[in-house]
Amino acid sequence: MNGSVRSIRVAPERGAPTDRVEEATAVAGRGLEGDRYFDTEGTFADREGSDITFIEREALEAVERDYDIALEPGVHRRNVTTEGVALNHLDGERFRVGDLVCEGTELCEPCAYLERHLEERGVREALVHRGGLRARILEGGVLRPGDDVEPLES
């Protein structure tokens, strides 16, 4: 079930486009430096356990295949795109992402905000159970593309 980080994105403020970064400093209990949630600016800033968000590359490919909706990089508004890991299985579990230790807090089911933001009908339905994972950062560090994603033993 080991996978890897494919890309990292941050948005400096609520509603701003996400920017791809080659590395990000993750701070326990806060999020990624430079991201809206780090300064409690995001739509879900008051939701505990939303320090960092993940989505699977495979889920994005499935949305395109099954619904003919191609989501451009970053429009899904998740911080980290992964490859080769079933994120839904990490809900409620601790896992390592490079130097970081995270704990999955809930699935990122799609919301009306995303569909309105993208102005793409059907996105919400297409991302049900494919929208990724919200997580709490328990131990921070530097996150980079290529970092391993692996569950921790309970």
Side-chain angles (χ1 to χ4, degrees), residues 16-139:
T18 63
D19 298 318
R20 186 179 179 134
V21 296
E22 289 306 311
E23 67 177 37
T25 300
V27 177
R30 295 275 312 268
L32 301 179
E33 287 184 5
D35 189 62
R36 65 210 181 275
Y37 290 108
F38 188 82
D39 294 319
T40 63
E41 295 288 323
T43 302
F44 297 99
D46 60 346
R47 184 178 287 180
E48 187 175 330
S50 293
D51 299 342
I52 188 170
T53 55
F54 298 86
I55 193 165
E56 298 170 23
R57 177 191 58 81
E58 295 87 348
L60 298 172
E61 290 173 350
V63 166
E64 185 169 6
R65 180 189 67 237
D66 297 348
Y67 290 86
D68 198 29
I69 297 173
L71 297 174
E72 295 297 318
V75 299
H76 46 70
R77 319 251 343 127
R78 306 303 184 248
N79 296 123
V80 179
T81 301
T82 63
E83 180 172 55
V85 61
L87 294 173
N88 288 10
H89 295 169
L90 296 177
D91 185 19
E93 301 294 325
R94 289 181 180 215
F95 57 100
R96 183 171 296 283
V97 183
D99 294 338
L100 284 57
V101 173
C102 298
E103 180 178 36
T105 58
E106 70 177 317
L107 300 183
C108 286
E109 294 296 3
C111 61
Y113 172 82
L114 181 63
E115 197 162 67
R116 282 191 315 270
H117 182 75
L118 295 179
E119 298 177 350
E120 174 83 45
R121 293 181 57 84
V123 167
R124 190 173 182 178
E125 178 185 345
L127 284 172
V128 169
H129 306 312
R130 297 176 172 164
L133 179 71
R134 294 183 200 289
R136 179 179 295 115
I137 299 170
L138 303 176
E139 294 178 22

